[in-house]
Amino acid sequence: MYKPFVKHLENELFNRFNLQNRAIPAGLELKVSDRGRNPATIQSWCYQCRQLRKIRYTYIDAGESAQIFNSVIYPNHHYDLPLLGVDFLSFGKIKNLVVLDFQPLFQDDAYQRKYIEPLKFLHAKYPDLAQNLEMKFYDANQYFSKYLLFAKTDAETVATRLLAAFNDYLNLYWQMLDEAEPLQDPEDIARIVKAQKDYDQYSAERDPASGLFSSYFGHEWAERFLYGFLFEDAVPLA
Ligand code: BLA
């Protein structure tokens, strides 16, 4: 269901950047579940390039029961840009949840004006994908923007509307990256290192997928996947 989105992201990345593989810890890049009736596979890809220090995406294919495409793009530490976050989920073709955002590292006004306000017109362009839903797992005011796309929708909308929105958000993101001025001051760079690390910590601790990973692939694998790959700069709680 979301495989065309993976293809689209890959085409964009390979056409625009000089990608190098970024290692995924052994055993985490591909896993097939031996539990339950439907086989589930989870596969991940990870790259880096001069501008982007970590580009990761993951696809869970559990046939009819679940299709999930999740991705985060982390800019290099000398850019204070938001992270690009993608979470497209379908359960049983009935429940479809799509989230797409420029995930802000900071919430101050200057940052919002620079990196979030430019999203306003895209957000307005896709009202069917911007539903102002309440968040249960995350704090909407922490690492999300007010112009995120966040919708519970139907397969028809996913098939007909989401690719255009995805393409628009990606293009704006590439444009911001192109125009970004690299930070020079080591203190400014250290602030980004910390902000990206804090994002990983926050996300690892709250990830609503943790139970799903455990149920398909086991608790131990799930913890390694969360702390060893998805949010590798997070430290597991004792
Ligand atoms: C929700 N994301 C979810 C849910 C799951 C995942 C299972 C709960 C769906 C439900 O309501 O039943 C799945 N999250 C994943 C997967 C991975 C993951 C498979 O990290 C990793 C492979 N989540 C993100 C990113 C964004 C994001 C990058 O990982 C940003 C766009 C958003 N996911 C997001 C939001 C919700 C969600 C906002 C709703 C959570 C809430 O209500 O608080």
Side-chain angles (χ1 to χ4, degrees):
M1 178 150 184
Y2 297 112
K3 292 196 175 150
F5 294 84
V6 177
K7 263 271 102 15
H8 184 72
L9 178 64
E10 276 176 349
N11 285 341
E12 286 284 311
L13 290 169
F14 279 91
N15 286 331
R16 285 173 193 272
F17 303 101
N18 185 12
L19 298 186
Q20 290 172 278
N21 278 316
R22 189 178 189 279
I24 300 177
L28 299 181
E29 66 276 72
L30 176 68
K31 180 86 177 160
V32 181
S33 167
D34 41 20
R35 304 176 176 203
R37 278 173 294 125
N38 300 330
T41 60
I42 182 167
Q43 187 169 4
S44 298
W45 296 264
C46 199
Y47 300 98
Q48 61 191 348
C49 60
R50 182 175 58 77
Q51 304 91 326
L52 304 167
R53 70 172 186 89
K54 181 178 182 184
I55 301 163
R56 65 153 172 88
Y57 50 94
T58 295
Y59 203 92
I60 299 176
D61 184 348
E64 300 257 306
S65 61
Q67 296 278 318
I68 303 178
F69 169 41
N70 178 278
S71 176
V72 179
I73 295 181
Y74 296 76
N76 264 331
H77 288 136
H78 51 260
Y79 294 119
D80 65 354
L81 246 67
L83 312 185
L84 185 80
V86 181
D87 204 8
F88 295 165
L89 311 102
S90 290
F91 298 100
K93 289 200 176 150
I94 308 288
K95 180 176 171 186
N96 307 290
L97 182 75
V98 299
V99 196
L100 173 60
D101 199 13
F102 287 18
Q103 299 198 262
L105 292 175
F106 308 104
Q107 293 287 347
D108 59 275
D109 290 348
Y111 191 89
Q112 297 293 314
R113 266 197 305 280
K114 187 167 178 190
Y115 293 125
I116 304 305
E117 280 308 314
L119 273 177
K120 186 175 181 172
F121 86 103
L122 285 184
H123 183 260
K125 192 174 162 187
Y126 298 101
D128 45 347
L129 297 172
Q131 297 175 344
N132 254 316
L133 305 172
E134 208 172 317
M135 291 190 191
K136 297 184 289 265
F137 296 89
Y138 299 109
D139 174 357
N141 298 312
Q142 181 106 34
Y143 296 109
F144 291 96
S145 81
K146 62 178 168 184
Y147 299 126
L148 84 166
L149 296 184
F150 184 14
K152 285 195 173 127
T153 186
D154 48 57
E156 166 81 12
T157 305
V158 168
T160 58
R161 297 278 289 154
L162 190 58
L163 195 58
F166 187 47
N167 188 47
D168 277 352
Y169 272 65
L170 280 180
N171 272 308
L172 183 60
Y173 194 76
W174 307 144
Q175 187 189 329
M176 271 188 188
L177 187 61
D178 251 356
E179 291 166 2
E181 288 284 334
L183 301 169
Q184 304 291 346
D185 186 335
E187 273 185 38
D188 290 338
I189 295 168
R191 185 168 164 261
I192 307 307
V193 172
K194 175 160 192 314
Q196 289 195 5
K197 189 173 180 346
D198 290 347
Y199 169 90
D200 270 16
Q201 191 71 41
Y202 177 90
S203 303
E205 285 169 14
R206 256 155 269 247
D207 199 319
S210 141
L212 180 147
F213 296 147
S214 293
S215 69
Y216 283 137
F217 309 108
H219 177 70
E220 200 183 319
W221 190 90
E223 288 292 294
R224 273 193 70 217
F225 188 62
L226 275 171
Y227 288 93
F229 173 59
L230 291 181
F231 306 110
E232 67 196 60
D233 293 326
V235 182
L237 298 173

